[in-house]
Amino acid sequence: MWGIQRTRYADCNGSEASEEAEVVVNIGGVKQVLYGDVLKRYPDTRLAELVDCSLKSSEEISSLCDDYDPDSGEFYFDRDPEAFKCIIELYYYGEIHMKRGICPICFMKEMEFWKIDSAFLDECCKCHLKEVEDELAEIAEKVRTILVDREGDPSAGGWQRFQMYVWRLMEKPDSSLPAHIIAIVSFIFILVSSVVMCVGTIPDLQVEDSEGNLTEHPTLEVIETVCIGWFTIEYVLRLISSPNKIKFVMAFMNIIDFMAIMPFYVVLILTSFGAGVLELANVQQAVQALRIMRIARIFKLARHSSGLQTLTSALKSSFKELGLLLMYMGVGVFLFSALGYTMEQNHPETLFTSIPQSFWWAVITMTTVGYGDVYPKTTLGRCNAAISFLCGVIAIALPIHPIINNFVMFYNKQQVLETAAKHEIELMALRSGAGELKAAPGAHKHACDGAWDNPMRSCHSDTYIPLLKDPRGGAGMATPSKDPSFESTAEVSEYFVS
């Protein structure tokens, strides 16, 4: 028998608290002897209601516990004994701490069963609970997305179903075989377009126009036109089928897609005005700038790579560390460039002509690049350079470790959430099959009643966590907290790329 040593408290008048009847509880097979005066410190809890059970009817007693032995006065509860060790701490210490290894959501169900408010939970445990609730909300959203992708909305009309089909076809590679093929084709077009853009700059592969200027080879221009045509069709179809047009247009990756195809049409429009317009210097510079903007299409690869998306999200969560890095570098560049100019300005062959010109030297020195185009020639200047690159190494190294940690934590979290979402879908399929078996008249009635109709297990089980309501109109979904068959997989990773 385990327990916490009973303490005695004095009442407000200074006299000792009198001992009341002992309350014997059996929590999942483990007996515990409690005292009425201790339990009544929190009279609104379930345990406090057990103190005066001798005055209650058998129906009222049955509503408080799972079973009751009137001969020994023992109350039986089909609950987790490890969680109860934490629950009983409230009556002795005034607050509750969750032990390591207990699921926070399941523990909150335990507190709800014992009629204990969550305000008695310690602050550190509340933070842990909030993190778990956020993760469950993300899992629920992923599950909802998968279900919608697989089954669609039954109440949608013909055009809406067509929109949803096109959206899944263009945005969800794992939703069907045609969608997977389209994703592969799009990936190939991105690679081909990027290679053509690079190869087109090789002088040996360029041809001269009527004026003797080098231009891209006609074959490369044809390939470029075909790629732009594919990108345009892809963008238009995704825009038409998007459920939220404004959100689609303002999304960062969709802005990249638009920038990848826009230069081609702008150059095409300028060309249609004739050679006279293209001969203007400003127009030529604009055309050249638009051609350079074609490099933006390389970012389209992130649409088909969950790793690149994870890296982008990790960098977004590391803005504070990146800001510190830029601040350290900015202070160092300003300080050492000013010192370098001061120490080198009296040298007859100085390369430090001004402080702004010295910024370049400070940047390449602090980043340990050292091109050698600007370097100090005095002893003090060289000492300043040595200190600057040492400080640069330290300034760069300090924020790097938190950035790497953010990336690893974000990546691991994404893998866990995606695996949990897949596991949730599998459990829903199992419950759906069990429900059909239960509905069959006369088939395995006893087995179904034992596994699914036991009200005590459905009410008291610590492995049932409602996440969201089934969009098909069913009951809430459940998430396992102690299922050993939880396996890692990346099967649903591309579902959440949008």
Side-chain angles (χ1 to χ4, degrees), residues 390-410:
L390 288 176
C391 293
V393 170
I394 296 174
I396 294 175
L398 286 177
I400 290 299
H401 187 66
I403 295 175
I404 295 175
N405 285 342
N406 288 340
F407 175 79
V408 173
M409 291 173 58
F410 191 89

Side-chain angles (χ1 to χ4, degrees), residues 373-423:
D373 54 343
V374 181
Y375 55 90
K377 296 184 178 180
T378 64
T379 302
L380 290 177
R382 291 168 181 170
C383 293
N384 177 62
I387 297 174
S388 66
F389 72 70
L390 288 176
C391 293
V393 170
I394 296 174
I396 294 175
L398 286 177
I400 290 299
H401 187 66
I403 295 175
I404 295 175
N405 285 342
N406 288 340
F407 175 79
V408 173
M409 291 173 58
F410 191 89
Y411 182 80
N412 291 338
K413 180 181 177 182
Q414 288 298 110
Q415 295 298 315
V416 170
L417 292 180
E418 291 167 6
T419 305
K422 178 182 179 296
H423 196 64

Side-chain angles (χ1 to χ4, degrees), residues 182-203:
I182 289 177
I184 295 175
V185 172
S186 179
F187 185 81
I188 293 175
F189 269 108
I190 294 173
L191 291 180
V192 171
S193 176
S194 302
V195 171
V196 167
M197 182 190 67
C198 297
V199 171
T201 60
I202 300 177

